Amino acid sequence: VQLQASGGGTVQAGGSLRLSCADSGRTFTTKAMGWFRQAPGKEREPVAVISYNGLSTFYADSVKGRFTISRDNAKNTIHLEMKRLEPEDTAIYYCAVDNTKGYIVARSTYYDTATGFGSWGQGTLVTVSS
């Protein structure tokens, strides 16, 4: 496993958390990377994706304006800053790399299936209480 996600925890609604994903293999600086999440009993869904150079991003409608994805290629990490958390944000959050692209795809449905993504980290649990 090359990606390690961390930073999850339990917070009250309205609170904040910062997730991190470390690339121990140091091989993904030319690839887009993203965060996905899976809530109990639900399908996995995309949260945010960032291009290889950090200049372009994709956000799911449900997190726009509340979450911010960033990356530091010098440290081989990406982050997900989550603010104004809601109970609906409760899920296991996974980071992954787009093995086929370094840029953001304009067609947002590409991220729904995450077909090109791999090297999934072990996930970190985020629980938001009401």
Side-chain angles (χ1 to χ4, degrees):
V1 176
Q2 292 179 278
L3 298 179
Q4 295 180 325
S6 62
T10 300
V11 297
Q12 289 189 328
S16 301
L17 280 175
R18 186 179 192 235
L19 306 184
S20 297
C21 176
D23 166 18
S24 60
R26 303 192 177 193
T27 60
F28 302 136
T29 56
T30 61
K31 304 295 185 182
M33 295 184 69
W35 289 97
F36 296 76
R37 68 186 182 186
Q38 186 165 19
K42 294 187 176 181
E43 298 282 324
R44 183 184 62 199
E45 62 179 2
V47 177
V49 182
I50 190 165
S51 62
Y52 76 99
N53 58 5
L55 295 181
S56 300
T57 55
F58 159 85
Y59 291 98
D61 288 343
S62 60
V63 307
K64 282 180 181 177
R66 300 189 298 122
F67 291 11
T68 302
I69 188 171
S70 62
R71 70 188 296 163
D72 183 342
N73 284 343
K75 296 182 179 179
N76 303 300
T77 59
I78 65 170
H79 302 285
L80 185 68
E81 191 78 39
M82 306 186 294
K83 297 181 179 180
R84 303 199 311 274
L85 283 160
E86 304 169 352
E88 293 74 22
D89 295 317
T90 295
I92 298 175
Y93 285 70
Y94 300 89
C95 56
V97 60
D98 190 337
N99 290 313
T100 64
K101 297 176 178 59
Y103 53 87
I104 296 298
V105 176
R107 178 171 52 88
S108 62
T109 53
Y110 172 77
Y111 298 114
D112 291 341
T113 60
T115 302
F117 283 79
S119 300
W120 296 88
Q122 84 284 5
T124 186
L125 176 62
V126 172
T127 303
V128 184
S129 60
S130 57

